[in-house]
Amino acid sequence: MGRARDLFRYSATRLGLAPLMLWLIATLVFLLLRVAPGDPVDAVLGSRAPAAAKAAMRARLGLDQSLFDQYLSYLNGLVHGDLGQALINQEPVSKIIGNTLPASLELSVIALIAAAIVGLSIGFSGIARPEGSIDFSGRLYGLGTYALPPFWVAMLIQLVFAVSLGWFPVGGRFPPSLLPPEGSGFFLWDSLVSGNWPAFAGSIRHLVLPAATLALLLSGTFTTALRLNLRRTLRGDYVEAARSRGLSERQVILHHALPNALLPVLTIAGITVASLIGGALLIEVTFSWPGIALRLQEAINQRDYPVVQGIVVVIAALVVLVSVAVDLLVAALDPRVRY
Amino acid sequence: MAAFTQVGCQPSSPSQRITVASAGSISSLDPAQVSTVHSLQLLTAIGDPLYSLNDDGSLLPRLAASKPTISADGRLVTIPLRTDVRFHDGTRFDAEAMAFSLRRFLRIGTLSYVVGDRIKAVEVAAPHTLRLTLNRRSTSLEGLLTSINLTPLSPRAYAKHKDSFLHDNFVGTGPYRLTKFNEKQQRLEPFEQYWGEPPRNNGLDLISLSNSTALFGALRSGEVDVLLSASIDEDQRHALNQQAQRGDLNETVGPAMEIGYVTLLSNTAPLSDQRLRQAIALSLNRDEASERVSYGLRRPLRALIPPSLPGGGVASWPRHNPTQAKTLLRQSGYCQGTQLEVPLTFRSNVPADKLLALTWQAQVQRDLADCMVLKLDGVESTTVYRQLGEGAFKAVILDWLGSYPDPEAYLNPLLSCSDAEGHVCRDGEAAISGSFWSAPGLQKALQQSDSLRGTPRMEVLNAIEKLTVDGAAYIPVWLESPRSWSQRSLNPPEYDRSGFLRLAQLQRVSQKQGDD
């Protein structure tokens, strides 16, 4: 009962800090954008637009107000769930995020699953003979994929499998000749649910290269994490105790060492998925994947303040939520964790 | 899985739809706002201009029924309109609709500066006759009437957007209807009630890819049918050009309308010294730069007006001449142990600019090492345009594409000045464009050129260019032609005189043979 109360208090504290973190991030983004050179009105109207038109737009967007008033107005909107409108085309920022976030989430989740399967399999495969050739290869794989420059890998994979071999599309998210499935914005899910098989096949084909690239880059982290944690847990007293009880090595590893070794990996997976939502920019740019990171980059180039602010705040909120969820999950699963 | 992948990876059977790829997103379809080449190219497929240009540069009526009638004083322009045109929403096109669209453009258009102070009133003279009252005689108005920005919009569809932009839809009169729009992909279907020649394909899918390698790869792998050249890196452009020469692809080159140039800040030291600006101009070897940077695909340019326009192609600017440059630098007190240090800014997100800057820097190092040095500085383009009018750059590499095919669209944005004192422009386009340069008589000559025709106009345009050469606040570098590459399964695409690809004429070869 005491542990449950502690866990509740811990959860409440973590969740209570989340708005504070979001406020700090939102404030920082607001200020940094105002400091950056480049005028959003020029970006929209062009530098040659008449001064009157520029002034009118500045007034309409509230950019003629003091910085403090702009900040208050921004925070007020944020609190009420209003992320504003894009300066460039007055599209609601929430709609922009709604259109691009599913693309990034779909890519991230598929890549993460693939990375976990590949990375954990390789990390686990060497455990039978530590320092053996398989273990050494796994270590090399872990280090190698971690060290690879993402843009280089992405371009290489694109050139080989899309341009030279023509096995997969060079970029984009969906075949241009088909109509994207309507629904949640997760094309794989939407086409599956509606039984639209050409759309499903098209979505998979477009997903393979960016997801494989991301998975390759991430899998090394899983390999290294599992390998190190598994070796550490295999040296634990409780593992020795299990062995002394006459359990087979297979039972020792699968039932005693592996679950404990996977707990830190869960934390890594959480942090990875959180950072992936906004951090897959190079992959999205290389494969023209219309995700939230690519949209953020475009908005920065256009000095589209509301879009940049909205995307950054949403990404930050997701990162905070995922990391809190992972913390709580680990705390619930691992009785050794103290609050 | 392998079978699935193989099936998925087969080139699809030749569809009668055609996929056209280019770089960059389309954030707005409103003709009152769009300004990027990519967006304007799309507008040419879903909208129609009043006129287009014939090969000889004369006006070819499109939505207009015949050439405009201009009153003796040049201030009244009457445009008869076609009577058989419908908008995509089924409503009829007439003078009211055209007037609605023009007034809307003048009221809210971000490019209304293009029209400037020329149009005083837009009136409906008859159901299918439009009348423009001008503030002054304007020869360039004819070129302006070919602008796709002035394409008519359905008054019914835009009733709620009379005074605001409509970004994600378009209801015009063009050969295609827009059936799906997002920033990265647009789907166009042939418009069954189109007044002119119907499209030769069954529809277009326009897609945007985010980088040059993806665009290049998509064409190479056969994933797209047509690739538009904007934003393709020079190496890849060259590779596609080579492929086309080998017969593996079709390559089409449009009229060269975009000029690459350098702006020199003329109102502050040291470049307020005209001789130094002239020396800098003489230090650039355009032929070598063109060859090194673009494999000769960008043609060296020594004029501000593109050759395809009246008064264009007169090579007024001097050729590369380091000896003369050295003489000028010596006269200004350099070369005797003192180097002129010129900060040269290039747009860091434009690869050709960076290559040009590096090449020029090496040329100066080779030819004028003891007199002059170029210090390079890459700045992201949004920042460059923001700070240009503040006089932030001593020398900066830029480009310009006129909004309509007339010399006015090139000279005015660089040279026009509303408040000049001697050779310094305090306010006006010359200040916005970062040179702050003017010359006595220049503004008058600019206005005069727009009121003349034929040979007298050519003479004034030549005089303007001569003044600009002497002032040396701008250094034309090269001329860029729009290019497109297409699969051999398509007939070679064609460009119109305004530099836009005729998308409605794209046609698969097999389809063409079948039709025959």
Side-chain angles (χ1 to χ4, degrees):
Chain A
M1 188 62 195
R3 181 176 163 75
R5 196 172 55 240
D6 287 349
L7 185 58
F8 177 76
R9 191 182 304 141
Y10 176 70
S11 309
T13 311
R14 290 301 313 266
L15 289 171
L17 283 172
L20 182 68
M21 287 168 69
L22 287 177
W23 171 70
L24 282 172
I25 290 165
T27 304
L28 205 61
V29 174
F30 178 88
L31 291 174
L32 283 176
L33 273 176
R34 266 66 185 178
V35 170
D39 186 345
V41 173
D42 275 358
V44 179
L45 297 181
S47 53
R48 289 188 154 78
K54 285 187 183 181
M57 173 161 267
R58 215 173 280 283
R60 191 167 63 76
L61 300 173
L63 295 172
D64 59 342
Q65 296 171 13
S66 70
L67 198 61
F68 185 68
D69 286 342
Q70 288 182 50
Y71 177 64
L72 285 184
S73 165
Y74 163 60
L75 280 189
N76 184 44
L78 213 56
V79 168
H80 291 92
D82 178 10
L83 297 174
Q85 291 184 331
L87 298 181
I88 299 296
N89 57 8
Q90 290 81 54
E91 193 176 7
V93 175
S94 53
K95 190 178 167 194
I96 292 172
I97 293 171
N99 287 339
T100 51
L101 188 59
S104 291
L105 286 176
E106 190 169 73
L107 174 63
S108 302
V109 170
I110 299 288
L112 195 71
I113 291 169
I117 292 170
V118 173
L120 295 178
S121 303
I122 293 173
F124 187 72
S125 60
I127 206 66
R129 283 189 59 201
E131 304 302 333
S133 59
I134 296 177
D135 186 40
F136 179 75
S137 303
R139 197 189 327 173
L140 209 61
Y141 177 84
L143 284 173
T145 53
Y146 194 69
L148 286 172
F151 70 92
W152 182 79
V153 178
M155 284 184 73
L156 198 68
I157 285 179
Q158 187 182 49
L159 285 172
V160 172
F161 293 101
V163 179
S164 297
L165 297 172
W167 289 358
F168 297 100
V170 169
R173 195 184 171 202
F174 197 75
S177 55
L178 298 178
L179 288 173
E182 300 288 336
S184 61
F186 294 88
F187 287 178
L188 279 184
W189 173 255
D190 292 337
S191 51
L192 199 62
V193 167
S194 60
N196 186 346
W197 302 116
F200 184 70
S203 299
I204 291 219
R205 283 194 64 219
H206 281 77
L207 189 60
V208 168
L209 289 188
T213 309
L214 258 185
L216 176 72
L217 295 166
L218 294 175
S219 58
T221 313
F222 287 99
T223 301
T224 308
L226 181 67
R227 189 179 157 277
L228 293 175
N229 281 302
L230 206 49
R231 288 187 70 174
R232 184 175 52 78
T233 51
L234 281 172
R235 287 197 297 268
D237 293 343
Y238 62 96
V239 170
E240 282 303 312
R243 282 187 180 126
S244 65
R245 290 204 303 275
L247 294 176
S248 69
E249 191 63 14
R250 179 189 168 88
Q251 283 177 312
V252 168
I253 292 173
L254 289 180
H255 297 142
H256 294 267
L258 191 58
N260 282 304
L262 280 175
L263 280 171
V265 177
L266 184 65
T267 309
I268 291 170
I271 295 167
T272 308
V273 76
S275 61
L276 262 181
I277 294 163
L281 175 63
L282 289 170
I283 305 300
E284 290 190 1
V285 169
T286 305
F287 291 103
S288 305
W289 188 262
I292 201 163
L294 186 59
R295 190 66 186 81
L296 176 63
Q297 188 214 25
E298 288 174 356
I300 291 171
N301 288 340
Q302 294 166 333
R303 301 293 187 271
D304 202 330
Y305 291 170
V307 178
V308 176
Q309 288 164 178
I311 290 178
V312 171
V313 168
V314 166
I315 289 175
L318 284 170
V319 170
V320 169
L321 280 177
V322 171
S323 58
V324 168
V326 169
D327 278 0
L328 297 180
L329 192 63
V330 171
L333 290 176
D334 191 347
R336 293 169 299 181
V337 173
R338 295 280 178 269
Y339 317 111
Chain B
M1 178 63 190
F4 167 78
T5 310
Q6 287 306 308
V7 169
C9 298
Q10 292 297 321
S12 53
S13 59
S15 157
Q16 302 311 322
R17 295 187 64 80
I18 289 174
T19 305
V20 181
S22 56
S25 306
I26 294 182
S27 53
S28 176
L29 279 177
D30 197 311
Q33 183 167 39
V34 300
S35 58
T36 63
V37 177
H38 186 27
S39 317
L40 291 168
Q41 175 70 70
L42 172 57
L43 272 190
T44 63
I46 52 182
D48 285 311
L50 280 170
Y51 296 93
S52 60
L53 288 177
N54 270 318
D55 287 341
D56 62 359
S58 62
L59 286 181
L60 175 71
R62 293 284 299 281
L63 289 179
S66 59
K67 289 186 179 179
T69 313
I70 300 169
S71 64
D73 66 354
R75 295 190 177 198
L76 212 58
V77 180
T78 307
I79 303 171
L81 301 174
R82 297 186 69 96
T83 56
D84 56 349
V85 179
R86 281 185 183 275
F87 285 105
H88 298 157
D89 62 358
T91 53
R92 283 199 172 278
F93 164 76
D94 55 16
E96 283 289 355
M98 194 66 230
F100 167 86
S101 308
L102 280 178
R103 288 176 190 142
R104 180 178 181 273
F105 181 88
L106 292 170
R107 210 165 42 242
I108 65 167
T110 55
L111 290 170
S112 56
Y113 68 88
V114 171
V115 183
D117 58 350
R118 270 173 286 200
I119 299 179
K120 185 178 178 183
V122 179
E123 294 162 308
V124 176
H128 286 91
T129 306
L130 186 77
R131 183 170 296 147
L132 305 178
T133 309
L134 308 186
N135 285 313
R136 57 181 167 84
R137 183 190 288 272
S138 173
T139 307
S140 62
L141 183 80
E142 292 184 13
L144 183 62
L145 293 177
T146 68
S147 169
I148 195 66
N149 285 106
L150 303 182
T151 187
L153 305 166
S154 159
R156 187 170 80 181
Y158 285 76
K160 290 182 181 169
H161 293 275
K162 275 191 288 192
D163 297 306
S164 60
F165 297 122
L166 177 57
H167 297 289
D168 57 358
N169 197 8
F170 181 88
V171 184
T173 62
Y176 293 95
R177 294 180 292 120
L178 181 76
T179 54
K180 189 154 187 70
F181 172 79
N182 69 48
E183 293 187 349
K184 305 283 181 198
Q185 196 169 332
Q186 300 86 40
R187 191 178 175 89
L188 310 184
E189 305 288 351
F191 176 41
E192 299 80 7
Q193 295 174 279
Y194 186 56
W195 59 272
E197 185 187 346
R200 295 181 186 172
N201 50 64
N202 288 357
L204 299 172
D205 295 297
L206 307 181
I207 61 169
S208 307
L209 297 176
S210 52
N211 64 79
S212 177
T213 307
L215 286 164
F216 176 75
L219 186 75
R220 287 278 298 263
S221 65
E223 204 176 316
V224 302
D225 297 308
V226 182
L227 171 59
L228 303 178
S229 67
S231 303
I232 285 279
D233 288 351
E234 302 300 320
D235 282 343
Q236 289 162 347
R237 209 178 278 220
H238 176 60
L240 291 173
N241 176 258
Q242 295 295 300
Q243 265 193 282
Q245 287 186 8
R246 287 197 302 271
D248 299 335
L249 292 171
N250 296 320
E251 182 182 53
T252 309
V253 184
M257 302 297 278
E258 184 175 319
I259 62 170
Y261 66 97
V262 176
T263 295
L264 302 177
L265 184 66
S266 68
N267 64 342
T268 53
L271 299 188
S272 49
D273 181 343
Q274 184 180 345
R275 281 178 304 201
L276 292 183
R277 299 199 299 271
Q278 288 170 339
I280 293 170
L282 288 163
S283 73
L284 173 65
N285 186 335
R286 293 174 181 80
D287 295 327
E288 190 179 51
S290 163
E291 198 54 47
R292 291 279 169 88
V293 174
S294 71
Y295 303 91
L297 295 180
R298 292 170 190 255
R299 282 156 51 199
L301 178 70
R302 292 193 288 128
L304 285 181
I305 306 171
S308 58
L309 299 179
V314 181
S316 312
W317 265 258
R319 288 183 179 281
H320 174 232
N321 189 336
T323 312
Q324 201 182 337
K326 199 173 274 189
T327 306
L328 289 167
L329 286 161
R330 279 209 182 101
Q331 287 171 3
S332 291
Y334 293 94
C335 300
Q336 295 107 9
T338 315
Q339 271 186 323
L340 170 65
E341 198 171 283
V342 182
L344 175 63
T345 304
F346 60 89
R347 293 167 297 174
S348 54
N349 51 331
V350 182
D353 282 12
K354 183 177 182 180
L355 292 173
L356 171 62
L358 287 166
T359 306
W360 192 9
Q361 185 185 45
Q363 289 173 355
V364 169
Q365 173 68 22
R366 179 192 62 198
D367 302 332
L368 297 161
D370 52 337
C371 299
M372 188 172 128
V373 61
L374 296 180
K375 298 278 185 189
L376 305 191
D377 185 21
V379 178
E380 192 251 332
S381 57
T382 312
T383 308
V384 169
Y385 292 122
R386 171 71 183 93
Q387 298 183 339
L388 198 56
E390 296 169 2
F393 308 112
K394 296 282 184 199
V396 56
I397 301 172
L398 296 165
D399 53 38
W400 181 253
L401 176 66
S403 303
Y404 52 95
D406 190 89
E408 176 104 355
Y410 289 82
L411 297 179
N412 258 332
L414 298 180
L415 304 175
S416 169
C417 184
S418 54
D419 179 13
E421 186 180 326
H423 284 89
V424 175
C425 175
R426 289 174 176 157
D427 192 21
E429 300 292 328
I432 293 170
S433 60
S435 73
F436 295 85
W437 176 81
S438 190
L442 178 61
Q443 187 60 29
K444 194 178 170 193
L446 283 169
Q447 284 168 356
Q448 199 184 1
S449 83
D450 197 26
S451 63
L452 298 171
R453 289 175 180 274
T455 309
R457 190 180 191 208
M458 297 303 117
E459 285 168 2
V460 175
L461 290 172
N462 290 342
I464 291 170
E465 283 231 328
K466 190 172 179 319
L467 273 176
T468 315
V469 171
D470 291 342
Y474 297 99
I475 308 171
V477 179
W478 54 35
L479 195 60
E480 182 163 8
S481 306
R483 281 168 198 271
S484 69
W485 296 273
S486 63
Q487 306 293 349
R488 295 280 291 167
S489 57
L490 263 66
N491 59 349
E494 293 173 15
Y495 278 93
D496 65 19
R497 284 268 303 182
S498 297
F500 295 112
L501 199 69
R502 297 183 204 270
L503 293 170
Q505 293 190 6
L506 293 174
Q507 185 182 22
R508 293 198 187 281
V509 175
S510 55
Q511 183 186 355
K512 188 181 170 188
Q513 285 167 347
D515 292 347
D516 293 343

